[in-house]
Amino acid sequence: MKKIKVLFLYPPEQSWPKTMVKPNGSLAYPYLGGALRDINVESYVYDACVGNDDDNLDDFFYKSSQLPSGMIRTGVNDDRILEVASNYDAIGITSIFSQQETQVLHCAKIIKKKFPNKLLFSGGVNAKSRAPIFFNAGFDIIFTSESEISIQQVVTIMQKNSCDFSKVGKIYFKNKDGKIIDNSHFGEIIMNLDKLPIPAWELLPNKRYWKIGRPHGGKGKHGQELRYASMMTSRGCPFSCSYCHIAEEVAGSKSGAIGKFRFKSDDRVINELTILKNQIGVRQVFIEDDSIFGMKRRAIRLLKRIVGFGLDLMDVNGINMIHLVKKSKKPGWMIPDEEVIELLAEVGFKEIVLPFESANLRIIKKWCSNKLALDRFDPGELIKTIKKYKMYVGTNYMLGFPDETKKELEETVSFAKKMQQYGLDHSNFYLVMPVPGTPMFDYCIKNKHLPVDYNPDRFQWTKANLKNIAINPTELEIIRDNAWEACNSKEFKNLRKSWVVG
Ligand code: B12
Ligand code: SF4
């Protein structure tokens, strides 16, 4: 049996000048590394944005360089990436962020040029939606779904010195004649999440991430000691918003039904938290579930077991507001569910982000899977109730939906300003940015709001990308910037500005 060593590479990050840079560090590699560990295959994670113990952060992280596109590149140089890659038989590069695609493709090109015989593979929502571009850049395999099983199968075939991947499901691959074979229609997906490998968090450059101190959501004050990690207690979501990949991850699609809400048992979650606390030395845990309250009773039961665990839990990925309210005596009217909010505080949650998205009912109905809208509850009451339990409250808004009128958009901005009076800690405004693999993206291509050859570099929440909409792009960007300036404290703005590149 041939010994196979796998490298998982996060490419350098690219950002527009005056925007923030945060290392990737998402959970694909801990899971995939865990899957390989379980079949005794060695893997290593190299984050080219932050490097490893042989790299001096001052040489590159705080000294970024400019790319031909005008964007800023943060990370080690190409020679260093090639030096690290030279030690491995296969190199995987995740592509979950469309706006980072150019760096993924760049790394693939330089690695394939220097080492044509190394196997290059990618996965993630962006890679699976843009496979032809990835193959052109030199990739040999694109994984089209959750890949804990298929990566084990691919590596097992490599151990037999073969490159015949025709029996591996949920992949596209280039066969020995250079033909792309589509195996996305078969393959096993793990529905019982307790069967997932325990994530190999130890593969991540955790100490570097903690030193840099730029976690998800941006919470954290200057000088605060951060020892954080991410985890997921569930995958999938019961909703299906038009701007989310989950809406297309259904049975029969190239990923299969991974959009379906699935969850780990309470014991499994406790086990993972124990590992994070005792083995990785973590103090703050970011729960990155798409929908932790996807099944409210289960979430409450789980949280009750976590009380007193001694970890700060942060859900910054957004708790759907419907789960923070309950029915009242008035038909159709919801009031804050104080029992749940109190429990969140008791468990150690320090932060809740409320994804209002829009103050306009038509927009919520048409684009946001008719989530909880303002005709059914009092948002001020909800914020006040959360603040009562001393939690940090942020809000998220989306501006510039494809058919949004200026009046509708202004409704959202004035609503956001009004909410400030309830003591919000921050408000984020995202310009609508349809990404490949979502119904909104398909709509925008069909209705010519996006050109077919759109540039993913532009996919940035402060950049207006859509054409033929009611508000012109420059004006839209100004409205967003002004709203962000008006709705955030000096302290929050200064912290975010200190993470800016360029
Ligand atoms: C956590 C997170 C972040 C964190 C990541 C850091 C951290 N601490 O983890 C941070 C804060 C950096 C972040 C930022 C952003 N995020 Co985010 N994020 C996520 C989130 C919630 C979880 C990612 C994760 O860990 N998933 C768990 C792993 C296990 O799943 P996975 O990555 O899909 O991996 C599996 C498969 O896809 C496949 N796979 C994936 N990669 C690879 C690679 C190889 C080699 C192989 C074989 C297989 C494989 O196998 C894996 C295991 O099963 C996802 C949503 C989601 N559910 O994934 C959004 C998501 C990735 N983010 C998204 C967005 C839009 C953003 C932002 C633009 C938000 C914003 N407005 O600022 C920025 C962009 C950042 C950038 N660098 O450009 C979108 C991306 C859509 C797109 N096409 O671009 C997502 C999909 C959310 C959504 N519903 O739309 N994010
Ligand atoms: S609620 Fe969030 S995770 Fe669920 S479909 Fe909508 S955007 Fe995606």
Side-chain angles (χ1 to χ4, degrees), residues 9 78 81-82 91 93 101-116 120 132-139:
L9 174 73
D78 288 356
I81 293 172
L82 291 172
I91 294 121
I93 314 180
E101 179 187 280
T102 302
Q103 288 308 308
V104 174
L105 300 181
H106 173 75
C107 288
K109 282 177 196 156
I110 58 166
I111 294 171
K112 203 65 186 177
K113 190 166 170 219
K114 178 101 180 173
F115 307 111
L120 263 184
I133 294 165
F134 279 62
F135 283 118
N136 278 342
F139 281 102

Side-chain angles (χ1 to χ4, degrees), residues 236-241 243-247 290-291 320 357 369 371:
C237 173
F239 290 91
S240 83
C241 302
Y243 42 83
C244 183
H245 57 100
I246 283 186
D290 288 309
S291 191
N320 212 305
E357 324 295 24
S369 48
K371 292 199 278 196

Side-chain angles (χ1 to χ4, degrees), residues 13 24 27 94 97-100 147-148 216 230 290 430:
E13 286 281 312
N24 183 320
L27 283 165
T94 181
F97 302 125
S98 298
Q99 64 194 70
Q100 299 299 331
S147 315
E148 286 83 359
H216 195 176
S230 304
D290 288 309
Y430 299 96

Side-chain angles (χ1 to χ4, degrees), residues 76-287:
V76 299
N77 62 32
D78 288 356
D79 287 342
R80 176 71 178 129
I81 293 172
L82 291 172
E83 185 190 342
V84 176
S86 68
N87 298 317
Y88 296 88
D89 307 286
I91 294 121
I93 314 180
T94 181
S95 186
I96 56 172
F97 302 125
S98 298
Q99 64 194 70
Q100 299 299 331
E101 179 187 280
T102 302
Q103 288 308 308
V104 174
L105 300 181
H106 173 75
C107 288
K109 282 177 196 156
I110 58 166
I111 294 171
K112 203 65 186 177
K113 190 166 170 219
K114 178 101 180 173
F115 307 111
N117 295 329
K118 291 191 192 294
L119 189 87
L120 263 184
F121 50 85
S122 185
V125 291
N126 184 64
K128 80 169 179 220
S129 310
R130 311 245 303 155
I133 294 165
F134 279 62
F135 283 118
N136 278 342
F139 281 102
D140 302 292
I141 305 181
I142 302 300
F143 290 69
T144 64
S145 186
E146 293 172 359
S147 315
E148 286 83 359
I149 295 178
S150 31
I151 198 168
Q152 289 180 337
Q153 294 169 337
V154 163
V155 173
T156 306
I157 289 165
M158 291 179 75
Q159 286 173 328
K160 292 178 188 144
N161 219 356
S162 165
C163 58
D164 176 7
F165 302 114
S166 52
K167 296 217 166 55
V168 181
K170 293 280 169 262
I171 61 166
Y172 301 130
F173 74 101
K174 221 183 255 177
N175 73 6
K176 60 179 186 341
D177 306 320
K179 195 169 165 236
I180 310 298
I181 309 294
D182 178 355
N183 281 358
S184 64
H185 54 283
F186 70 94
E188 200 189 330
I189 300 165
I190 299 179
M191 288 317 226
N192 173 358
L193 296 194
D194 283 3
K195 297 213 165 121
L196 283 172
I198 295 285
W201 285 285
E202 67 280 6
L203 291 175
L204 295 176
N206 293 311
K207 294 211 170 96
R208 293 201 154 218
Y209 290 160
W210 299 342
K211 187 171 171 207
I212 291 164
R214 297 182 187 185
H216 195 176
K219 168 127 185 318
K221 298 193 169 61
H222 278 298
Q224 180 189 15
E225 200 201 355
L226 288 170
R227 298 172 69 85
Y228 67 92
S230 304
M231 78 168 288
M232 278 180 152
T233 81
S234 66
R235 288 182 176 179
C237 173
F239 290 91
S240 83
C241 302
S242 66
Y243 42 83
C244 183
H245 57 100
I246 283 186
E248 293 198 346
E249 288 172 343
V250 293
S253 68
K254 57 186 159 226
S255 62
I258 56 172
K260 191 172 182 296
F261 181 70
R262 294 154 291 151
F263 54 87
K264 294 175 184 164
S265 68
D266 298 1
D267 286 344
R268 163 74 188 231
V269 174
I270 302 287
N271 185 19
E272 290 192 22
L273 285 170
T274 309
I275 292 170
L276 282 174
K277 190 175 162 193
N278 298 343
Q279 293 176 26
I280 314 286
V282 161
R283 296 211 184 119
Q284 300 93 4
V285 176
F286 284 80
I287 302 220

